[in-house]
Amino acid sequence: MIASSLSRARTLPLSGQVGLALVLFWLAVALFGPMLAPYPVGAFVAYDVFDGQSAAHWLGSDYLGRDVLSRLLSGARYTVGLAAAAAMLASATGTALALTAAVGGAKVDEPLSRFMDMLISIPSKIFSLVLVAAFGSSLPLLLLIAAITYVPGNYRIARALAVNLAQMDYVQVARARGEGRFHIAIAEVLPNMIHPLLADFGLRFVFIVLLLSGLSFLGLGVQPPDADLGSLVRENISGLGEGALAILAPAVAIATLTVGVNLLIDALPGRGKGR
Amino acid sequence: MAGGSSQSGMKAALVLTGKRFASSLLTLLLVSVTIFVIAQLLPGDAAQEALGQSATPQQIAALRHDMGLDRPAYVRYASWLTGMVSGDPGQSLVANMPVSEVIAERLPNSLLLAALTALVAVPVALAIGIGSAMNRGGRLDRALNVVTLSMVAVPEFLVATIAVLIFSVKLRWLPSIALASEEMTWGDYLRGVAMPILTLSVIVIAQMARMTRAAVIDQMDRPYVEMAVLKGVAPVQVVLKHIMPNAIAPIVNAMALSLSYLLGGAVIVETIFNYPGLASLMVNAVTSRDMPLLQACAMIFCAAYLLLMLIADVTAILANPRLRAQ
């Protein structure tokens, strides 16, 4: 299993290997990062604010003299965890609705698709800003808002796949055999859309990481004392004038995560064409 | 293509364009319902917010009546919508002046920023997209692919941060805060907005260049291009004389689609550079929960987005040779 995955990874082009390495790195950080942190997250450990790199503080200190590396390791868990959960929720909801539409006939498909078309014509940042203003931004709400924002995109792709598959001979055979709609959706159609859906999941993940860090950067996302990578950029913005590491490090961290996923998806064979 | 058939083709294209326009209007109407409904889900209402915790129920009821909040939701929606259409989307709760005045102050700034960004981004993106399509599979193409693919995924604030570090901290060429005011000369203004434009351009160029490349490559695979290559036309001539006339519509389509990325990018960029535009106004409206202002801003952004999509689709309709030849 591991050996076959390894040999598969070797067949990826260089950019894909770099992407895979970045993704694995950030997954590991999200899982084990807080355990590796040299200092407690909220502790004031440096005498100076916006310190540069040193042996004691690998990434310097932040605007209150806290250790940037420790805060980054814990912030990455929020960013990766929230975005992964939201992307899963968005993909699961979008795909479930798409399957319902594909096997449910025009009566279900038409209204659902029109509704999704309407939602998709609201720019995602604008939509999420309206949702944040209406609901607020606690962690579960942020997860829900990010998921709702990206359901229509996943629905559109999953529906296109499912409608095509539902016309295939083997599905017609299953219908003629008298299988129920639920069985057709889950056992006949779904297994054949997994690969493009996984690529789409990666794209949703990237969009959601960017959306949530953007919201946190605006002060509308993760609220203190919790902090994701976007909040770290925001709270250290006063260090911009001196080019502080405290503001660059979390911003670069987000970029390496999203670029990594993007490079990996692009290198996968037969990737789905998302927007 | 005889005269008569081309005329009926034009007619078909016009009918399709009209249908597309009508469906955009319908979508915009549905979007307005969605935004209104979400904004009304707010726990507590504006009257309670305005009076604070210590207000008596009678005071709140009186203010609710004054603000018209005691009417049923569909009546409030209808009056909001007619207000929007006639240019009076209500009263801003925080600024305490008509929303239309607040927006009138900010909208030109945002439009100017968008126009200047498009002016910078479109030529650069065209050059990158066409250059990389001509070099398809080559080293330059693969390098540009990785670069644009990465730029699409980089958060706006990282681009902005790096731009500030380079141009205002290290080189000290540009101010790090953009201020637009009446007394500024054009030179001052351009220096002030150089960095917001740079940041927005980087984001849009990556997207635009990828879509341009795809549009040109789609044409390159057609038989007529193979024919031109086989009869010995020089590569640059193939692109300029044979491919471009056919690729213009898909490219305009790609430009319109990727300009929509400006809308989202502006939210971050206007805030980080303190640029007094519509997007930063909307962020303020979210922070202060100024719902009338927020709803109006959201509608303007959605309308702009739908307009760009409409332009993209109409170009595609008008450029469809099957319609022209019918």
Side-chain angles (χ1 to χ4, degrees), chain B residues 216-238:
Chain B
V216 174
I217 280 187
D218 181 49
Q219 292 295 323
M220 284 171 117
D221 290 337
R222 305 280 170 97
Y224 75 87
V225 176
E226 196 181 3
M227 177 69 201
V229 172
L230 288 177
K231 77 180 183 197
V233 181
V236 176
Q237 292 296 314
V238 172

Side-chain angles (χ1 to χ4, degrees), chain B residues 88-103:
Chain B
D88 173 31
Q91 193 80 5
S92 162
L93 301 176
V94 174
N96 215 359
M97 54 201 261
V99 168
S100 55
E101 276 178 37
V102 185
I103 287 179

Side-chain angles (χ1 to χ4, degrees), chain B residues 37-87:
Chain B
V37 168
I38 296 175
Q40 300 304 312
L41 293 177
L42 175 80
D45 59 27
Q48 211 157 8
E49 201 105 319
L51 292 173
Q53 293 282 323
S54 55
T56 63
Q58 287 83 2
Q59 281 174 317
I60 293 178
L63 187 62
R64 289 189 62 164
H65 184 74
D66 283 349
M67 294 168 93
L69 292 174
D70 51 354
R71 295 172 299 166
Y74 63 89
V75 178
R76 276 181 289 142
Y77 170 74
S79 84
W80 173 66
L81 188 69
T82 45
M84 261 319 267
V85 173
S86 60

Side-chain angles (χ1 to χ4, degrees), chain A residues 7-255:
Chain A
S7 70
R8 238 201 212 167
R10 258 191 228 114
T11 62
L12 287 175
L14 179 65
S15 62
Q17 290 181 10
V18 172
L20 182 64
L22 285 172
V23 172
L24 291 178
F25 171 76
W26 283 112
L27 275 182
V29 168
L31 286 175
F32 309 112
M35 285 176 235
L36 301 173
Y39 302 94
V41 175
F44 307 106
V45 287
Y47 291 106
D48 254 335
V49 299
F50 294 131
D51 256 350
Q53 209 174 358
S54 65
H57 307 287
W58 288 5
L59 292 176
S61 65
D62 76 352
Y63 76 116
L64 291 174
R66 295 174 293 190
D67 182 49
V68 173
L69 178 63
S70 306
R71 291 187 65 74
L72 196 133
L73 288 174
S74 110
R77 173 173 279 190
Y78 283 94
T79 297
V80 175
L82 265 180
M88 265 182 241
L89 186 58
S91 295
T93 315
T95 307
L97 291 174
L99 286 172
T100 315
V103 299
K107 252 187 237 159
V108 188
D109 187 18
E110 271 296 313
L112 202 54
S113 294
R114 289 294 82 76
F115 181 65
M116 291 292 177
D117 281 349
M118 189 272 293
L119 285 186
I120 225 169
S121 50
I122 307 178
S124 51
K125 274 224 181 71
I126 305 301
F127 192 38
S128 58
L129 281 179
V130 176
L131 287 173
V132 166
F135 296 124
S137 49
S138 66
L139 289 179
L141 281 173
L142 279 177
L143 198 163
L144 203 63
I145 288 171
I148 294 176
T149 310
Y150 285 107
V151 164
N154 174 274
Y155 171 85
R156 187 150 79 166
I157 290 182
R159 181 188 166 274
L161 290 166
V163 165
N164 267 339
L165 286 171
Q167 304 301 321
M168 302 284 247
D169 288 344
Y170 74 92
V171 178
Q172 302 295 346
V173 169
R175 268 211 190 112
R177 207 163 60 215
E179 303 283 6
R181 284 178 179 173
F182 185 73
H183 172 90
I184 289 178
I186 298 297
E188 310 284 349
V189 177
L190 183 62
N192 289 300
M193 18 194 301
I194 290 291
H195 275 283
L197 279 183
L198 278 179
D200 183 66
F201 171 78
L203 278 182
R204 302 286 139 212
F205 177 78
V206 170
F207 292 147
I208 291 176
V209 168
L210 292 175
L211 176 74
L212 288 177
S213 1
L215 285 177
S216 290
F217 174 78
L218 295 172
L220 302 169
V222 177
Q223 300 297 321
D226 298 327
D228 69 349
L229 295 174
S231 331
L232 294 187
V233 179
R234 174 188 173 81
E235 61 186 25
N236 291 306
I237 198 81
S238 57
L240 187 57
E242 38 190 305
L245 207 49
I247 175 169
L248 266 183
V252 170
I254 299 169

Side-chain angles (χ1 to χ4, degrees), chain B residues 110-186:
Chain B
S110 278
L111 289 177
L112 189 57
L113 186 62
L116 288 173
T117 305
L119 209 62
V120 175
V122 170
V124 179
L126 274 179
I128 295 179
I130 296 174
S132 120
M134 284 176 69
N135 185 260
R136 173 154 58 146
R139 212 174 263 178
L140 179 72
D141 180 36
R142 274 180 295 162
L144 283 174
N145 177 42
V146 170
V147 170
T148 52
L149 192 64
S150 308
M151 291 316 299
V152 172
V154 165
E156 294 93 348
F157 49 79
L158 177 61
V159 182
T161 311
I162 292 174
V164 169
L165 282 184
I166 294 177
F167 293 108
S168 68
V169 177
K170 290 275 183 291
L171 297 173
R172 297 186 182 282
W173 286 355
L174 300 165
S176 63
I177 284 180
L179 292 170
S181 69
E182 302 280 321
E183 308 89 65
M184 280 169 102
T185 64
W186 265 94

